[in-house]
Amino acid sequence: AFEPDAPARARLCAVQTIDSSSPAKGCSDGGAHDDANNNAVWLLTKLRVEGPAAVELAAKVLPFLRRQGDNYQILKENTAVLIGCLGCWAPQELAPHLDQFLATWLGVLASTRDSLEKEQAFLGLYTLLERRTEGGPAPLPPIC
């Protein structure tokens, strides 16, 4: 039987997984922590996160976009998709922070294979650019 609070518990567990494997907790990059983070990030793309919690979550996962090496490609792709989802779910809260991660996010999206999830990420990008309240257009870096 479906429990009404199951999505909320799943969201909490996913965020706790990301929290527990952060470098601040003494965990290094690689191995089981990356697998757990990848699974948690993917799950969060399926569970709506809104309001200030979306900004907090973005701050926790943005470092994944900066990881170097082919071993992290799937984690980076899932993180880019999650940022797009957060952009759709909480654009007012996330848009003021766009300049802090736009270049890195676009770089990852440029190397992500085409999929429905990538389309969702670009919809989030569009929504964030549309809701941006600061003067002038967002600085779009070259990605090719």
Side-chain angles (χ1 to χ4, degrees):
F2 178 75
E3 296 180 38
D5 63 340
R9 283 200 319 244
R11 188 179 308 109
L12 178 63
C13 288
V15 171
Q16 286 175 340
T17 297
I18 292 167
D19 282 343
S20 69
S21 63
S22 73
K25 300 284 186 184
C27 296
S28 62
D29 293 346
H33 294 296
D34 286 327
D35 291 341
N37 284 332
N38 186 51
N39 290 337
V41 167
W42 177 85
L43 176 63
L44 288 165
T45 67
K46 309 301 178 197
L47 301 170
R48 192 174 200 89
V49 179
E50 298 175 307
V55 176
E56 291 174 27
L57 179 57
K60 291 177 186 195
V61 300
L62 282 169
F64 298 155
L65 292 178
R66 295 181 186 93
R67 296 243 176 123
Q68 300 296 314
D70 292 338
N71 294 342
Y72 303 114
Q73 189 59 32
I74 303 256
L75 176 60
K76 289 164 65 172
E77 288 178 11
N78 283 336
T79 301
V81 170
L82 176 59
I83 298 299
C85 291
L86 294 173
C88 287
W89 299 331
Q92 291 302 120
E93 293 84 0
L94 208 55
H97 307 282
L98 186 60
D99 292 350
Q100 298 171 20
F101 61 88
L102 181 62
T104 306
W105 184 32
L106 287 176
V108 173
L109 285 174
S111 65
T112 300
R113 69 199 180 307
D114 290 341
S115 66
L116 291 174
E117 290 83 8
K118 184 176 180 179
E119 288 181 31
Q120 179 71 29
F122 274 101
L123 180 60
L125 170 62
Y126 172 79
T127 304
L128 287 172
L129 290 172
E130 186 177 59
R131 299 280 164 63
R132 200 168 180 286
T133 57
E134 292 144 16
L140 295 175
I143 58 172
C144 296

